[in-house]
Amino acid sequence: GNGAVGSSCREEAGIDLFAEQALWPEIMAIFREGYNVLHEAGFSDEAILFDMYLSKEPAEIFERAADEGFVKQLKYHSRTSQYGQLSTMNRHDGNEIREKFRRVLNDNILSGNFAKKWSDTKWAAEELAKEWKEVEKAPIVQADQRVR
C-alpha cells in the first residue's frame, strides 16, 4: 500500500542520491537517444515528443506502477506493447547498467566523494550552471522548445 516507509537517514539519502545520479540520468539519456534515433530516421519532432512524453503516458504508466505493480501495469497496454516490452526486457541481461550503477553508488555516494564535493557551494553552483548550459544544446531540448 501507500504511505510512509521506515528508513534510516543513510538509507534515505543513499537511495535519493542513487535515483538522482544513476537511475534518472539513465532514463533521461534513454529518452534523449530515442529522440535522436527517431529524428535521424526522419520522424517529426512533434510526433516523437508527443509519443515519448508530451501525451503524459509515462506519468500514467508510473502512476499505475505505483498503484498496481511495476510489471502488472502492463495489463493496460495492448498485447503488442506487452510482448515488445516483456520480450525485450526479459532478454536484457542488465550487466552493463548494473556495473555502472554499482560504480555510481560505491564511488560517488557511499564513498562520500559526492557529499564532499557538493558541500563546496561555490563549486556546486558553478558545476550546476555548466551542466545546464550543456544540456540546453541537446537536440531533444531544442526540439522540446520548438514544439512548445
Side-chain angles (χ1 to χ4, degrees):
N2 296 330
V5 174
S7 183
S8 67
C9 287
R10 178 186 180 273
E11 187 174 64
E12 172 65 19
I15 292 170
D16 272 359
L17 289 170
F18 181 82
E20 295 162 3
Q21 296 179 27
L23 191 61
W24 287 109
E26 289 298 321
I27 292 169
M28 293 180 79
I30 286 167
F31 275 75
R32 182 192 67 208
E33 297 311 317
Y35 167 83
N36 289 341
V37 167
L38 291 168
H39 183 78
E40 288 166 7
F43 293 93
S44 73
D45 289 347
E46 293 82 359
I48 297 168
L49 298 183
F50 186 82
D51 198 67
M52 285 176 53
Y53 62 88
L54 290 178
S55 66
K56 300 189 179 182
E57 186 178 359
E60 293 168 11
I61 291 169
F62 277 105
E63 190 170 340
R64 285 189 188 125
D67 291 344
E68 300 194 34
F70 186 69
V71 173
K72 288 195 175 172
Q73 58 78 25
L74 287 172
K75 69 185 177 185
Y76 295 101
H77 298 242
S78 70
R79 289 179 65 212
T80 306
S81 174
Q82 291 175 39
Y83 176 77
Q85 292 183 62
L86 292 172
S87 64
T88 303
M89 183 184 68
N90 287 338
R91 281 149 198 81
H92 190 307
D93 68 18
N95 289 334
E96 190 178 327
I97 196 77
R98 193 166 38 254
E99 283 308 309
K100 188 174 188 178
F101 282 177
R102 283 188 183 124
R103 281 193 307 277
V104 170
L105 181 63
N106 293 315
D107 299 348
N108 291 6
I109 300 167
L110 296 179
S111 68
N113 286 336
F114 173 73
K116 192 181 304 175
K117 286 193 307 191
W118 196 247
S119 66
D120 177 346
T121 55
K122 182 180 185 305
W123 177 88
E126 290 169 358
E127 288 298 307
L128 183 57
K130 274 198 289 193
E131 296 299 339
W132 272 108
K133 196 170 183 179
E134 185 176 333
V135 78
E136 292 295 329
K137 300 175 196 166
I140 191 172
V141 175
Q142 302 286 319
D144 187 89
Q145 290 169 350
R146 282 193 306 273
V147 167
R148 288 174 191 277

